[in-house]
Amino acid sequence: LTWVRAVFAAYVFLIATGLVVYIAIGLAHN
Amino acid sequence: VKRFLFENSLSLGFLGIFLAALGGQSAAGFHKYNEEALEHGGEAISYGRYLVSSDFGVAVLENWQSEYLQFFLYIFATIWLVQKGSNESKRLDRVGLETDEEQLVGEHARASSPGWAKAGGWRRHVYSNSLLLVMGSIFVASWLGQSVTGWTTYNDMRRDHNEPSVSWTGYLGKPDFWERSLQNWQSEFLAVGTMAAFTVYLRQRGSPESKPVGAPHDETASSG
């Protein structure tokens, strides 16, 4: 189950990073 | 390692093709961006600069938001809406939130049930809706991301044409924002509706997304 948790965490990390980065970029360049 | 790869092959396989497709999108988008910049007498940018551009951001996020909206609506709708004969639907006599016994919560929880399913009060309430809450939050955040990156690219275009820029709320009323949103939504809704209807009559041997090959057409909610 620990490894399943790592896969879950990888998805959460990717999505959260993508969202934060591009919301910041969209706001910063305007 | 071999066991880890096998036990997680569905999540890892899709993670892999996601990264490959995103890489391909960024490469193609980068070349398209520079092609258009040079055609309009502008300057080419580096690949690194393109990766942190609103142009790439809006192209990624407009697709993300529609996928998460699709899953959010599907999870929500299938609580109450059914399709006789489809394995995408639950049984017709189970419409609604179902009983605590059927859902294994509170006093009906098993020893192996998650802690918040055994708990009462707000914990059980939150955990009972956690999938919808998270999918809905990702939809809202990515739609917000689409709106701000789309707003930036829209104003860049207006600047190129010597037109005044618009506010964020102004952009939310522009056809550019709604075309980006709705062109993605329509395809998601069509695909989901198709799955609900097609799985009544069509089969894929071995896939849990299909009924067993020999299952009758009027059998609902079976998976094989």
Side-chain angles (χ1 to χ4, degrees):
Chain A
L1 194 71
T2 12
W3 285 108
V4 183
R5 202 173 278 199
V7 177
F8 182 88
Y11 271 102
V12 172
F13 174 77
L14 268 175
I15 296 164
T17 308
L19 291 174
V20 169
V21 165
Y22 287 107
I23 289 173
I25 286 170
L27 290 173
H29 291 182
N30 231 294
Chain B
V1 175
K2 224 173 161 182
R3 193 173 178 82
F4 163 70
L5 292 177
F6 170 70
E7 288 181 350
N8 299 285
S9 49
L10 188 56
S11 325
L12 292 174
F14 273 87
L15 189 61
I17 59 173
F18 159 67
L19 293 172
L22 188 67
Q25 181 195 336
S26 70
F30 166 62
H31 289 297
K32 182 187 163 204
Y33 184 93
N34 278 345
E35 225 173 68
E36 283 175 4
L38 295 175
E39 272 170 21
H40 292 87
E43 280 178 26
I45 59 170
S46 71
Y47 178 62
R49 176 64 189 83
Y50 177 71
L51 288 183
V52 293
S53 70
S54 285
D55 199 84
F56 180 55
V58 71
V60 171
L61 293 184
E62 71 175 76
N63 287 283
W64 281 23
Q65 58 86 2
S66 67
E67 300 301 332
Y68 286 96
L69 173 66
Q70 175 204 143
F71 277 107
F72 175 85
L73 285 180
Y74 207 41
I75 298 161
F76 181 72
T78 49
I79 300 170
W80 287 285
L81 305 182
V82 291
Q83 175 56 57
K84 186 175 161 68
S86 176
N87 85 311
E88 294 290 320
S89 165
K90 62 161 131 188
R91 281 169 35 190
L92 276 58
D93 58 359
R94 286 246 181 152
V95 165
L97 295 172
E98 306 182 11
T99 63
D100 285 1
E101 197 176 351
E102 287 165 328
Q103 289 291 317
L104 309 174
V105 293
E107 59 182 277
H108 304 284
R110 294 175 183 160
S112 56
S113 294
W116 284 28
K118 293 177 193 163
W122 68 272
R123 284 189 189 82
R124 191 205 299 174
H125 196 70
V126 168
Y127 193 63
S128 297
N129 298 286
S130 51
L131 189 57
L132 263 188
L133 286 171
V134 169
M135 296 307 242
S137 302
I138 299 175
F139 160 63
V140 170
S142 46
W143 202 22
L144 173 73
Q146 178 204 317
S147 76
V148 292
T149 47
W151 174 45
T152 297
T153 57
Y154 187 76
N155 276 340
D156 284 348
M157 186 195 71
R158 289 181 64 93
R159 216 165 297 132
D160 288 346
H161 295 91
N162 294 317
E163 285 162 358
S165 51
V166 299
S167 66
W168 177 66
T169 46
Y171 176 66
L172 296 186
K174 294 290 180 191
D176 184 74
F177 175 66
W178 288 103
E179 192 204 12
R180 284 182 189 277
S181 299
L182 290 163
Q183 70 172 350
N184 286 291
W185 294 357
Q186 57 86 10
S187 62
E188 305 300 338
F189 300 158
L190 175 66
V192 163
T194 304
M195 270 301 278
F198 278 16
T199 51
V200 177
Y201 299 107
L202 306 178
R203 308 282 187 273
Q204 176 52 55
R205 184 172 183 146
S207 176
E209 299 303 314
S210 161
K211 295 195 282 191
V213 180
H217 295 325
D218 64 357
E219 185 175 298
T220 311
S222 66
S223 176

